[in-house]
Amino acid sequence: MASRIDGRGSSVSGETMLRVGSNVTTLDDLARLCLTLGADAVGELSDAENALVPDAESPLTAVVLARLRKTIQRGGDPLGDTYCRLLTPADRRPLGQTYTPAPIIKAMTAWAAAQGTPARIVDPGAGSGRYLLAAARQFPKASIVAAEVDPLSALMLRANIAVNGLQDRADVRLGDYRSLTLPDVEGPTLFIGNPPYVRHHQIDAHWKTWLIETARARGFKASQLAGLHVHFFLATAQLGRPGDFGTFITGSEWMDVNYGSLVRQLLLDGLGGESVHVLDPTIAPFADAQTTGAITCFKVGSGPTSMKLRRVDKVTELGALAKGRKVSRQRLAESSRWSVLTRVSPKIPQGYVELGELCRVHRGAVTGANAVWVQRRDGIDLPASVLFPSVTKARELFSAGERLASPIGLKVVIDLPVDLDVLDGDDRKQVDKFIRNAKRHKVNEGYIAATRRAWWSVGLRDAAPLLATYMARRPPAFVRNEADARHINIAHGLYPREALSDRVLDNLGAYLRTAVSMDSGRTYAGGLTKFEPKEMERIVVPTVAMLEAGVVA
């Protein structure tokens, strides 16, 4: 019978599949088969592995066994395929066992090969060994270390290692990757694999404590809501040494969710993030888990000035994971949602960059009660030091034209200091009276006020040199803020990442007024077009040099 590629990328002969399928019908049968293939010749079996092996021999004939060995030697994984057939995804979910297709493994090992030659290969959740064996073939002189918590998976791994003749290079550790220790080795270590996909409610409390304390020791915060892949990134940072490198495929939610902030911090400080490749959901990188995949490449100990990010629509587009749009370290550090940064931009012409490379875009503060915090200057009895002329309506920017030249006509936002003790005498009396009145109106009980560091302190940002509207039935207004006005959440402030001359700021504003259309934003029912801060940062603008030279079109 002709051979075929199964749904997970293994090359398996049809006849061998038929014989294996009809004769290996239980986990006991699979354990017997692993022993027949030589699992006990790879290191010393643990008590947990020995307990799985029945006394009887495998029911497969010598002919089928020979074909099975050839399939494994060609890179197939019939043992893993059989395991997935015997156990449903629900059965495998507690251990987070998902199996990766061969084309993804090929792309990840190709990236590793482009980084150099490792002395050692480590797979943090080896399963039946798809990654470990592919990397071992790619790097024939490297030792291999596999961490695996499931005894039957460890038996499959040992059997695959034995059939490939790699037992002299292999060290299989039945145990948790977070407890793994590695001896010193001459040369770099490659970390590669598919960390188990386990959600936080299935993780033991002592490991959650380990995550919090280990992250804290590195100066980072961690959340007990983190999935197991977050734990494995941290464990890798602990094990790795400068010069080591690695690539993992995981679910992609760590790019956006709060508990994923630890991974984002590690990639910018310690793990040395190189690139992230987000797989389109239609690719279904894990046949038995409904999640979007992300391949992350890193070089331990490096301090990246930028990382490459991209979305991939087809596995055939992965290549050697060398492509991607460079995003600066500063921009990544400021962003709490990295997936937004993977969205495809129009092709950027030479001499142009994204606005986010020049400026951070921040929405204005939310007061929580404009009727209290936003007042006319002549209608409130408070010291001038807590009254800030501010743009509080979008029409103020639309009517300003190119420049907001004066604060005259603007309302003020009352922004009290967090520490009221800095106010003296009459100023403190006026503020205390205002606070008592605000409390009578239960302003302090509102959601926004209650979540602030001090409920009475709005926390206005500094004045931005450029202000922009962000939601209207017309293109946004971009206005030079010569009045040094503050802004609340009806506008965005554009804050230069480095000092820009007035000429550059003027020309940047002029360019944005002519170049940005409603098509650049997100349109909602009723015709409203909205620009979120990160979307506005994706607008393509001339470089500083071009703006200085007066290029605004």
Side-chain angles (χ1 to χ4, degrees), residues 279-352:
L279 306 179
D280 186 273
T282 59
I283 292 177
F286 311 113
D288 38 23
Q290 299 300 311
T291 182
T292 301
I295 300 173
T296 305
C297 303
F298 53 90
K299 294 181 179 178
V300 179
S302 69
T305 57
S306 65
M307 286 179 59
K308 292 181 179 179
L309 302 184
R310 68 165 173 159
R311 289 182 180 266
V312 182
D313 295 328
K314 301 176 182 177
V315 171
T316 54
E317 296 174 358
L318 283 172
L321 305 180
K323 297 180 180 179
R325 184 176 68 90
K326 284 188 177 182
V327 180
S328 69
R329 175 195 177 93
Q330 185 176 17
R331 196 169 175 192
L332 289 165
E334 292 169 352
S335 177
S336 61
R337 296 184 65 239
W338 283 14
S339 67
V340 175
L341 303 176
T342 68
R343 291 177 184 165
V344 178
S345 296
K347 187 173 181 180
I348 300 177
Q350 186 173 359
Y352 286 73

Side-chain angles (χ1 to χ4, degrees), residues 211 221-223 225-227 229-230 233 252-267 335-336 338:
L211 181 76
K221 291 183 179 180
S223 168
L225 301 180
H229 56 292
V230 175
F233 273 109
S252 65
E253 68 270 17
W254 64 263
M255 300 179 71
D256 295 326
V257 296
N258 288 337
Y259 72 70
S261 65
L262 177 58
V263 178
R264 301 193 293 270
Q265 292 174 66
L266 286 169
L267 291 173
S335 177
S336 61
W338 283 14

